[in-house]
């Protein structure tokens, strides 16, 4: 059961509740030849009900951010492939936070 969520693409355009195929397309845009000239370096999905956000960068870095806690630095993982990123997005869209939080996220010391 998907809750309320939205994505933001490389051009900064938000979409409300895109389906799985559209999520895959948004992630694939990170590998397009004009990704490095886009206005945003990442694509993101935000769960509007719980305030969690997952941003995916072309380099394979994924950041997990609690938007309701601006003083909390984002957590991150490196070398995340697009399939894994899609799974993370689908979990976040459905509010399955326990499976996301259980992953080996890193935090930078001192923010």
């Amino acid at each position: 059961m998907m809750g309320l969520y939205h994505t933001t693409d490389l051009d900064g355009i938000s979409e409300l509740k895109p389906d799985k195929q559209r999520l895959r397309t948004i992630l694939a845009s990170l590998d397009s030849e004009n990704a490095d000239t886009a206005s945003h370096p990442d694509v993101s999905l935000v769960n509007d009900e719980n305030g969690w956000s997952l941003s995916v960068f072309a380099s394979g870095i994924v950041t997990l951010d609690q938007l309701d806690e601006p003083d909390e630095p984002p957590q991150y993982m490196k070398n995340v492939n697009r399939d894994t990123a899609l799974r993370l997005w689908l979990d976040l869209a459905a509010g399955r936070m326990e499976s996301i939080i259980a992953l080996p996220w890193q935090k930078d010391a001192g923010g």
Side-chain angles (χ1 to χ4, degrees):
M1 174 68 190
M2 299 288 188
L4 185 63
Y5 63 94
H6 72 274
T7 54
T8 304
D9 67 13
L10 289 170
D11 295 316
I13 297 167
S14 294
E15 286 181 52
L16 197 60
K17 297 182 78 164
D19 63 16
K20 182 177 180 177
Q21 189 54 49
R22 181 67 187 135
L23 293 177
R24 186 176 276 123
T25 302
I26 293 169
L27 286 167
S29 71
L30 291 168
D31 301 313
S32 67
E33 54 198 36
N34 57 359
D36 51 357
T37 59
S39 55
H40 289 255
D42 64 305
V43 293
S44 62
L45 186 145
V46 174
N47 182 311
D48 296 296
E49 294 175 350
N50 65 20
W52 285 99
S53 167
L54 278 168
S55 299
V56 183
F57 293 81
S59 62
I61 289 174
V62 174
T63 62
L64 175 66
D65 214 356
Q66 174 46 263
L67 300 179
D68 296 336
E69 299 286 343
D71 297 335
E72 270 298 301
Q75 304 173 69
Y76 64 92
M77 279 192 298
K78 296 179 178 174
N79 305 315
V80 177
N81 66 35
R82 303 293 183 247
D83 288 340
T84 302
L86 178 63
R87 237 181 5 259
L88 288 169
W89 269 12
L90 290 169
D91 280 347
L92 179 58
R96 292 190 291 266
M97 292 311 301
E98 57 287 335
S99 60
I100 297 173
I101 291 170
L103 294 166
W105 297 99
Q106 303 173 54
K107 270 188 186 176
D108 283 332

